[in-house]
Amino acid sequence: MSDPEALKRAKNHALRYLSYRDRSKLEVTQYLEKKEHSHSVIQQALDALIKLGYVNDQRFALEWGRYKINKQKLGKSRLYVELLNKGIDKEILESTMAVLYEDNPEAELAAECARKKLNSLKGVEEEKKKRRLIRYLKRRGFSADIIYQSLKTVSETESQENHCPF
């Protein structure tokens, strides 16, 4: 059994860290390691916080994903990697991705990103504009199929407005 005072300090550090936003188990563990708590104390503190509902990877993955989709319009592959890097288990990841992209179809997100990016590419020659758009959407985590589908959607929309970007 570890020192109760050390456990109390670890919990207080973790609670302060969690007060800003939801965190994954891995993030809390890494934070407490930086604060130089022992492995057993970290594990006990994490167990207590999980039991109390302060640390929940499923909830964290959903909230983080919603935020990233709404603010940054990320595609599945980039969001998947980000959540994986935050220590989310693959089975939680799969269910989370299904829920998130059911509510926010990836093709719509990509088309919205493409439209927004087009505004900043006014005056650029058409081929260069298309290449830049493709690279931009790829960095955002969209698959090639989604990228080309969204480019087609955006170009159809633009041509209906008599201003075809490609």
Side-chain angles (χ1 to χ4, degrees):
M1 189 74 189
S2 63
D3 176 19
E5 197 57 41
L7 180 59
K8 184 178 179 182
R9 269 195 318 279
K11 281 189 206 175
N12 284 337
H13 279 138
L15 287 170
R16 196 171 314 119
Y17 187 56
L18 289 165
S19 69
Y20 299 105
R21 69 168 172 83
D22 233 355
R23 312 279 179 167
S24 68
K25 284 191 286 193
L26 179 65
E27 287 179 307
V28 174
T29 301
Q30 290 172 339
Y31 179 78
L32 292 177
E33 284 171 350
K34 274 195 253 177
K35 294 290 186 180
E36 299 180 357
H37 292 287
S38 73
H39 181 70
S40 62
V41 168
I42 290 172
Q43 195 54 54
Q44 288 177 347
L46 254 181
D47 291 343
L49 293 169
I50 289 169
K51 193 174 181 180
L52 292 169
Y54 292 125
V55 176
N56 180 326
D57 278 356
Q58 178 76 45
R59 181 184 66 219
F60 168 77
L62 276 171
E63 291 305 314
W64 183 263
R66 279 191 190 112
Y67 175 78
K68 289 294 191 169
I69 287 171
N70 291 333
K71 295 294 180 196
Q72 296 179 346
K73 311 291 186 230
L74 296 186
K76 277 185 184 176
S77 63
R78 176 140 173 222
L79 183 59
Y80 188 91
V81 169
E82 280 194 16
L83 288 171
L84 202 58
N85 289 338
K86 294 208 174 275
I88 305 301
D89 292 334
K90 288 191 179 189
E91 64 184 44
I92 292 174
L93 261 173
E94 297 299 328
S95 64
T96 300
M97 299 303 273
V99 168
L100 289 172
Y101 287 100
E102 181 181 316
D103 296 342
N104 304 289
E106 209 176 0
E108 289 177 18
L109 289 171
E112 191 176 330
C113 279
R115 275 188 216 97
K116 189 172 180 183
K117 184 67 177 171
L118 268 177
N119 291 335
S120 69
L121 296 175
K122 286 190 175 18
V124 176
E125 64 183 71
E126 300 309 320
E127 257 325 289
K128 203 176 209 182
K129 189 183 291 189
K130 187 175 181 180
R131 283 195 310 270
R132 285 185 184 178
L133 262 176
I134 290 169
R135 284 195 311 264
Y136 174 76
L137 293 172
K138 197 169 187 87
R139 281 193 309 272
R140 287 251 174 259
F142 296 105
S143 68
D145 292 344
I146 298 291
I147 290 172
Y148 288 107
Q149 181 184 343
S150 67
L151 290 179
K152 185 179 176 190
T153 303
V154 168
S155 66
E156 287 171 358
T157 305
E158 293 290 320
S159 66
Q160 287 174 357
E161 296 172 2
N162 296 327
H163 179 278
C164 183
F166 322 114

